[in-house]
Amino acid sequence: MTHVLSRGRDTGRSARGPRLVELDALRFVAAFAVMSFHYMAASKSLWGESPTALFASVNRVTTLGILGVELFFLISGFVILMSAWGHSIGDFVVSRVSRLYPAYWFVVIALFVMYTFVGVKAFDPKLSLRDYLVNMTMLQGGTNIGHAGAVFWSLWVELRFYILVGLFVVVGITLRRCLGFMAGWIILVVVAEATHNDVLTFLFMPRQAPYFIAGMAFYLIHRFGSTLVLWVFVGVSYGLCLLAATERVKGRVDMIGFAHFPASPEGAIIAITLIFALIAAVSLGWLRWLRWRALTTVGALTYPLYLIHQNVSAVLIPGLKDSVGRWALVGLTMAVSIALAYLIHRLVDKPGQRWLRAALSASLDRIRLRDGQSAPPPPLEESRVATQSKEASVP
């Protein structure tokens, strides 16, 4: 323990460095898994019959795509700690707000238009104008107002994680404090699960927290090197994630039956093990050979892809299922979703992030100058390593 803590003072790798494009690849894997799950395992209302029967040859895999969101959470734990390290709370808030909101605002407005004026029926959240306005804040998860998009539930989870990390930033992030933070969070997760206390569950998210904690531990391994203490955190989080994942899959099976959702506990265990193995490979540098430049763009479009893919299927699948083969229709829907996500990234998200970051940074600088800081610290640059969350996720 002493060895780990002493290394945290001055010998850890910089939080900055070459972009981890392998994380971009994994973010797309997560988005593709969720998309496959929604198109081929979870959208009976679109197809008119069970999609796991229509795509029986792959249903043992597509049903496990439900856990793609968990991969997003694991990546977020890694990246958000990386992006927060060494920065002020102001810079962290600017970073997260400018990253999350431009594409999100666009999608909420698009959903309002689609369901209010175009007449699309599938996945209609049946919200009022006021409800859509509340959705623009991304805080609807803390109210009785529904989500404009079904996948938005995970953003509310991510947002609460960001708030916890923001409080951590105020205290000051060090390796010693990271270990204490993660240990305390694990204890609170166990207490929340054991007591079923609503307040603890809301604050500390026992079903999602182990993924964030594991991601944080993997980042510390990446930055400071492999040590027993950090692998213990990974191991404990892995065990908690197995419990959460098998319960999540079981809940779906119990709801609609194994015949319509053939996902086994063993399959969930294999999926979570593979997810952990992939992030471990990133933290240990085993995937550094992934240096395809296009992966940066692929990673950037996963957030808008995650936001829109389900609603694209609401338009295409009901309208074309009787005239286009089911496999071709899934391929077409995926292609259209990816193309639209790319356009949103290029035309909305990228310039929107740039504008919002500049506006928020300027406001932050003015506040600092009024407080007597003649040389404000530079804003956190999301064009480098620190921007690799989803987000979102992902989820």
Side-chain angles (χ1 to χ4, degrees), residues 25-364:
L26 293 183
R27 287 168 63 196
F28 186 79
V29 168
F32 188 84
V34 174
M35 186 164 56
S36 299
F37 164 71
H38 283 141
Y39 293 176
M40 294 188 283
S43 299
K44 183 178 179 179
S45 61
L46 299 185
W47 295 99
E49 56 185 300
S50 175
T52 54
L54 290 173
F55 302 96
S57 61
V58 294
N59 61 20
R60 295 300 179 98
V61 177
T62 55
T63 51
L64 293 174
I66 193 174
L67 299 176
V69 178
E70 278 70 3
L71 176 53
F72 275 127
F73 291 155
L74 198 54
I75 294 171
S76 285
F78 188 112
V79 173
I80 297 306
L81 180 58
M82 177 169 59
S83 66
W85 200 293
H87 292 281
S88 70
I89 183 61
D91 290 335
F92 179 73
V93 171
V94 169
S95 163
R96 292 300 93 205
V97 169
S98 61
R99 176 68 184 93
L100 284 180
Y101 279 93
Y104 176 79
W105 284 333
F106 176 83
V107 171
V108 171
I109 293 170
L111 293 180
F112 169 72
V113 172
M114 190 170 82
Y115 288 115
T116 304
F117 301 108
V118 179
V120 176
K121 301 298 182 185
F123 307 131
D124 184 353
K126 295 181 171 56
L127 300 179
S128 66
L129 174 60
R130 171 182 169 274
D131 295 338
Y132 278 103
L133 292 174
V134 173
N135 266 260
M136 294 287 280
T137 69
M138 208 181 287
L139 300 175
Q140 68 277 1
T143 70
N144 292 323
I145 294 173
H147 296 289
V151 300
F152 290 2
W153 70 269
S154 65
L155 301 183
W156 175 235
V157 174
E158 292 269 359
L159 201 59
R160 284 180 283 166
F161 172 54
Y162 295 169
I163 292 171
L164 288 175
V165 174
L167 296 174
F168 193 14
V169 170
V170 172
V171 174
I173 299 178
T174 66
L175 177 55
R176 185 188 298 272
R177 289 171 181 169
C178 276
L179 299 179
F181 179 87
M182 293 187 296
W185 199 358
I186 287 175
I187 292 171
L188 290 167
V189 162
V190 174
V191 172
E193 282 285 82
T195 62
H196 302 289
N197 182 278
D198 291 339
V199 175
L200 291 178
T201 298
F202 175 80
L203 292 175
F204 301 111
M205 306 171 290
R207 294 305 172 91
Q208 296 86 31
Y211 298 98
F212 294 127
I213 295 167
M216 294 171 71
F218 278 128
Y219 170 66
L220 295 175
I221 291 169
H222 167 74
R223 179 168 180 168
F224 296 104
S226 181
T227 62
L228 178 60
V229 172
L230 295 175
W231 284 109
V232 167
F233 277 104
V234 170
V236 172
S237 299
Y238 171 71
L240 293 172
C241 288
L242 290 181
L243 291 174
T246 52
E247 281 295 312
R248 181 152 139 81
V249 169
K250 180 179 181 297
R252 192 87 182 194
V253 173
D254 290 345
M255 182 171 61
I256 62 176
F258 188 82
H260 298 294
F261 197 80
S264 65
E266 294 80 10
I269 291 171
I270 291 171
I272 294 300
T273 302
L274 178 60
I275 286 171
F276 267 72
L278 288 170
I279 303 299
V282 172
S283 68
L284 294 171
W286 294 350
L287 297 182
R288 288 177 187 158
W289 53 271
L290 282 173
R291 283 295 175 263
W292 184 31
R293 183 173 297 179
L295 286 177
T296 301
T297 301
V298 167
L301 63 82
T302 55
Y303 181 47
L305 176 61
Y306 180 74
L307 294 177
I308 68 165
H309 74 275
Q310 195 170 24
N311 299 100
V312 171
S313 72
V315 175
L316 294 183
I317 292 177
L320 298 176
K321 67 181 179 181
D322 295 328
S323 56
V324 179
R326 61 183 183 274
W327 287 99
L329 182 52
V330 165
L332 173 64
T333 308
M334 287 183 173
V336 171
S337 296
I338 293 171
L340 288 175
Y342 179 76
L343 290 175
I344 293 171
H345 163 63
R346 293 288 297 180
L347 302 178
V348 177
D349 195 26
K350 195 172 180 179
Q353 284 189 47
R354 189 182 305 118
W355 173 82
L356 188 56
R357 188 183 306 118
L360 292 174
S361 295
S363 297
L364 184 61

